[in-house]
Amino acid sequence: MAEDRRTRRTRRALNTALVELVLERGFSSLTVEDITERADVGRATFYSHFRDKEDLFARVTGNLLDELAERLRPAMADSPVGFTGKPVLEMLRHARDERDVYRIVLRGEGDGKPLQMFMDTLAQATAEEFRDRAERNAVEPRIDPGLLARVWVGEQIAVLRWWAEQETPPIPAEDVVRMLLDLGLHGRYWASGFDAPTS
């Protein structure tokens, strides 16, 4: 038990050190020594947990995704059809709670690998949800669910990055969600102010 607590404390210190240092200096210039010095952890201890700084960054990103999935689960189960806006609202709230981690991931630090991991994980989960939702409602998707998921996730990533980079977001989360919900239901043509084409 004491060992588990010590392990968790060590990993938490290393995670925090990585995030702080990436925000200060960028990932590429960091060394393992910089991270262990900030975390007040020995190099041997670092290597007993992680292969290198990339492995640590991947773990930080994985933890972020696990937390997000846990928070999204109740919101996703809310409606058989979907389009409640609740998962997007929960994601924005998570981005505010974990703002610094979102910032370093969404900026593409670490040669973009954590961002790719973030996008791929969300796209896979979203595509599965779209397929399941279509099956539950006995409808046939008009666009391939994998492609639709990539489009949807790409939009979410852009909004999340904008959201996380603002000290004070210019639009309340609830308003962002309402607008994205309208966009999802009515489309870009409608959102741009045009009426439906007549021909």
Side-chain angles (χ1 to χ4, degrees):
M1 185 72 78
E3 183 65 33
D4 286 345
R5 272 200 301 270
R6 188 159 46 246
T7 296
R8 285 197 299 272
R9 193 163 52 244
T10 298
R11 288 186 171 173
R12 192 160 48 244
L14 289 168
N15 290 359
T16 301
L18 175 80
V19 173
E20 289 175 356
L21 288 167
V22 172
L23 285 172
E24 289 171 21
R25 307 181 202 172
F27 183 78
S28 61
S29 66
L30 288 187
T31 65
V32 168
E33 187 174 1
D34 292 330
I35 297 166
T36 55
E37 188 176 306
R38 175 66 64 93
D40 195 21
V41 169
R43 282 172 61 88
T45 302
F46 177 94
Y47 286 115
S48 71
H49 293 282
F50 305 104
R51 291 188 308 277
D52 47 31
K53 66 178 187 175
E54 287 80 10
D55 188 31
L56 171 58
F57 201 170
R59 182 68 62 88
V60 167
T61 307
N63 290 344
L64 185 72
L65 284 163
D66 289 344
E67 289 172 13
L68 178 59
E70 191 64 34
R71 289 179 66 152
L72 287 179
R73 199 166 287 116
M76 297 289 282
D78 234 19
S79 166
V81 176
F83 294 100
T84 63
K86 291 179 181 179
V88 179
L89 182 59
E90 196 56 51
M91 193 180 294
L92 288 170
R93 287 173 174 164
H94 190 237
R96 291 308 295 169
D97 292 345
E98 300 296 335
R99 180 171 175 251
D100 289 343
V101 185
Y102 272 90
R103 287 165 73 200
I104 66 170
V105 170
L106 299 178
R107 285 177 184 176
E109 293 281 2
D111 292 331
K113 290 177 184 172
L115 175 56
Q116 193 65 54
M117 175 182 173
F118 190 85
M119 291 180 69
D120 288 346
T121 302
L122 284 185
Q124 182 178 359
T126 302
E128 287 172 10
E129 176 60 23
F130 286 169
R131 289 186 189 99
D132 290 347
R133 189 181 296 161
E135 191 174 322
R136 284 195 304 269
N137 291 280
V139 298
E140 189 65 36
R142 294 186 177 94
I143 297 176
D144 176 78
L147 176 61
L148 186 58
R150 288 279 169 186
V151 171
W152 179 245
V153 167
E155 289 175 349
Q156 302 310 306
I157 295 293
V159 171
L160 281 171
R161 181 171 182 187
W162 163 74
W163 183 260
E165 290 292 349
Q166 308 292 324
E167 286 289 342
T168 304
I171 303 174
E174 291 77 9
D175 290 350
V176 172
V177 169
R178 179 182 51 76
M179 289 184 225
L180 289 175
L181 192 56
D182 284 342
L183 176 62
L185 291 171
H186 302 293
R188 291 179 179 83
Y189 196 81
W190 172 89
S192 299
F194 295 96
D195 293 325
T198 54
S199 56

